Amino acid sequence: MRQLVFTVSLTLLLLALLLFSGCSRAWYHTDLSGAAADKQFAKDTDTCKFNALDLYPLDKRQQAVQYEKCLREKGWIPQRDYDGYRFETKPR
């Protein structure tokens, strides 16, 4: 049973990662820039994705809402662009 839960969780995580990479936003942090921002964003985005998946394992819409809420709480600000959304730490 634990193996099944692990397999389902891993599958949902991969699907969530695909979802977030396909429809993503540019994010920036007012206190960070350059390599420090890149490193911190990678850490924060992983943490937020895992938290969202744990809280809402079957609801992708709620995962996205929780993910954005988590990043905002960590000080990241979304920046919209006209070509869709992308995960980036710096504006284009």
Side-chain angles (χ1 to χ4, degrees):
M1 184 67 178
R2 291 182 108 182
Q3 182 67 24
L4 177 63
V5 170
F6 176 75
T7 303
V8 170
S9 296
L10 184 60
T11 302
L12 290 173
L13 174 64
L14 292 174
L15 289 173
L17 290 174
L18 288 174
L19 171 72
F20 289 128
S21 67
C23 300
S24 53
R25 283 192 180 167
W27 294 87
Y28 66 96
H29 199 290
T30 57
D31 297 332
L32 301 171
S33 64
D38 294 340
K39 184 176 180 179
Q40 188 62 43
F41 183 76
K43 180 180 173 186
D44 289 346
T45 196
D46 285 344
T47 300
C48 290
K49 285 178 186 177
F50 287 121
N51 289 343
L53 182 62
D54 285 343
L55 288 172
Y56 303 101
L58 300 176
D59 190 344
K60 290 181 182 158
R61 180 175 292 144
Q62 286 297 332
Q63 287 174 8
V65 169
Q66 180 62 33
Y67 170 77
E68 287 192 11
K69 179 182 172 189
C70 177
L71 280 181
R72 288 174 193 264
E73 289 172 354
K74 292 181 178 294
W76 294 97
I77 301 167
Q79 180 171 339
R80 295 182 183 262
D81 63 7
Y82 296 106
D83 296 331
Y85 301 112
R86 300 204 190 322
F87 288 135
E88 294 178 353
T89 57
K90 297 175 241 171
R92 290 183 188 187

